[in-house]
Amino acid sequence: MSSNNKSTPGQRFRDAVASEHPLQVVGAINANHALLAKRAGFKAIYLSGGGVAAGSLGVPDLGITGLDDVLTDVRRITDVCDLPLLVDVDTGFGSSAFNVARTVKSMIKFGAAAIHIEDQVGAKRCGHRPNKEIVSQQEMVDRIKAAVDARTDDSFVIMARTDALAVEGLESALERAAACIEAGADMVFPEAITELEMYKLFAARVKAPILANITEFGSTPLYTTEQLKSANVSLVLYPLSAFRAMNKAAENVYTAIRRDGTQQNVIDTMQTRMELYDRIDYHTFEQKLDALFAAKK
């Protein structure tokens, strides 16, 4: 079943990385946001594990979600949006190579373009929280090998995320990244980087595309694409930016309606009905329905 077809999601992701320097990858919390991201001109999108936990399940990002929770959101996004989707699969959703293999095969089947898998222990934490624990380098290498071996499509991208910087320091993180590339990973995601120059070190050591996670309110400064380009970063991730804004907007609307007894004071913060219909291509669907009714008469 091996494929290097240009039309595969994985190949589209690789092409996007090759064509935009650095590639901006923006988080889409649901299918609607995937369409909005495409409309804004992004060439690739992202599904955050923390986003699935908080957004779809209303629970913390502490290893509570399972593979099926993430697959549900992956399928909904890939069903309506053809932008290549990078998916956060945490530690692979299970303790063995068989779990990692199942995760990879399922992600390909559900239309994802790429995954990142990390070296935290099973009871994982958000990468920007204290007291993270990581598995041994050998165990992480085994996760990568299991993921690579399980690929049913050669173009599907396997990205190695390491949380070692905050736990064991820079040299350990660099060593792990290099070991993961040697084990077959395509790209590297060093998490919770604190200095711009560190990205250059990763790029030089692994000679593979490096992802910078520019998440708000975390350990990493909000570097610009120009700054990251100068540090040889290939991909820039904004995992939850729209999600944070959407949550704040929703809270403001709920508070106003409850307080004022009307939504009149927050109407200007809302997407209009016609804007929504435009973004989800409502009228095309409606016209097909009208044509069907007309044919029946």
Side-chain angles (χ1 to χ4, degrees), residues 216-291:
E216 304 82 16
F217 317 111
S219 310
T220 308
L222 301 184
Y223 298 122
T224 66
T225 49
E226 282 306 307
Q227 288 174 302
L228 292 164
K229 185 177 185 176
S230 75
N232 301 327
V233 165
S234 295
L235 306 95
V236 189
L237 182 64
Y238 311 88
L240 293 165
S241 309
F243 178 58
R244 296 188 208 283
M246 150 187 167
N247 290 345
K248 190 73 167 178
E251 279 199 40
N252 289 341
V253 167
Y254 291 140
T255 302
I257 292 173
R258 188 68 176 157
R259 181 190 63 226
D260 304 333
T262 175
Q263 68 273 61
Q264 288 173 19
N265 297 324
V266 285
I267 282 283
D268 63 336
T269 69
M270 297 183 192
Q271 184 187 52
T272 67
R273 181 188 296 268
M274 292 314 293
E275 283 168 342
L276 171 63
Y277 285 0
D278 178 54
R279 306 313 186 253
I280 59 173
D281 202 19
Y282 178 92
H283 296 292
T284 301
F285 285 83
E286 194 172 58
Q287 283 157 11
K288 282 180 181 162
L289 203 57
D290 291 343

Side-chain angles (χ1 to χ4, degrees), residues 101-142:
R102 179 170 176 244
T103 294
V104 169
K105 289 181 195 309
S106 299
M107 288 293 155
I108 293 170
K109 190 175 179 181
F110 280 63
I115 57 162
H116 67 72
I117 186 166
E118 68 201 41
D119 57 0
Q120 284 200 56
V121 296
K124 63 146 293 169
R125 295 168 188 251
C126 163
H128 292 255
R129 295 293 299 159
N131 304 319
K132 295 188 291 185
E133 286 190 34
I134 55 177
V135 297
S136 69
Q137 181 174 308
Q138 186 55 53
E139 189 170 337
M140 179 54 180
V141 163
D142 288 344

